[in-house]
Amino acid sequence: MYSDIPNPYVPQEPVHIECSIEKALDVVGGKWSFLVLKELFNGKRRFGELQRKLATISPKSLSDTLRHLEVHGVLERTAFATVPVTVEYKLTPKGEDLHQILKEMKLWAAKWYEQKPSDEE
C-alpha cells in the first residue's frame, strides 16, 4: 500500500546525470574545433588566414566550426564594412580559458602517442 510512495529520507535514483566533460566536448569536440582554437590562441585571425593555416578544411566546415564556437561564446566575430566584407575572429575570455586544457592534452598525447617504434619494445 505504501510501497509506491517515495520515502523522503532516501535519495531517489537520478534520471539523468549531467556530465561537465560531456558539455565541454559538445562545445569543442568538433573535428576542426581544436585546430581553429590553436590558431586563435595566437591572436585575432581573419577567415582567409584561418583557411590558409588549416589548408585541408573546406570553407563550409570552417564556417560551421566558427559559427558553432561563436554560438557557444568561445569566440567573437567582428565584421568590418569593407568590400568585400572583412571578418575577424578572436577568442573570448571563455575561449582563452581553454588554452591550458589544450596544452595539457597536447602533453598527454606527446607522452603516450609520440613514441618512436624502437621505444615501444
Side-chain angles (χ1 to χ4, degrees), residues 41-52:
F41 288 139
N42 296 317
K44 298 175 184 177
R45 295 284 184 265
R46 293 182 179 175
F47 185 90
E49 291 175 293
L50 290 168
Q51 180 80 53
R52 282 190 297 281

Side-chain angles (χ1 to χ4, degrees), residues 77-81 85-88:
R77 176 185 188 273
T78 304
F80 298 96
V85 174
T86 302
V87 180
E88 189 174 78

Side-chain angles (χ1 to χ4, degrees), residues 15-105:
V15 176
H16 176 72
I17 300 172
E18 290 193 29
C19 176
S20 55
I21 294 172
E22 185 180 337
K23 288 179 182 178
L25 287 175
D26 182 50
V27 174
V28 297
K31 180 177 179 178
W32 297 103
S33 295
F34 289 106
L35 296 174
V36 168
L37 290 169
K38 179 182 160 229
E39 289 303 321
L40 292 175
F41 288 139
N42 296 317
K44 298 175 184 177
R45 295 284 184 265
R46 293 182 179 175
F47 185 90
E49 291 175 293
L50 290 168
Q51 180 80 53
R52 282 190 297 281
K53 293 280 189 175
L54 309 171
T56 57
I57 189 171
S58 71
K60 182 185 180 335
S61 292
L62 179 56
S63 290
D64 291 347
T65 300
L66 291 166
R67 190 173 299 113
H68 176 81
L69 293 171
E70 181 186 10
V71 165
H72 288 281
V74 174
L75 60 82
E76 181 179 288
R77 176 185 188 273
T78 304
F80 298 96
T82 58
V83 179
V85 174
T86 302
V87 180
E88 189 174 78
Y89 297 91
K90 71 175 186 173
L91 293 175
T92 62
K94 184 177 183 179
E96 289 288 347
D97 269 357
L98 292 165
H99 199 195
Q100 187 61 38
I101 295 166
L102 296 183
K103 282 171 70 175
E104 291 297 323
M105 289 175 70

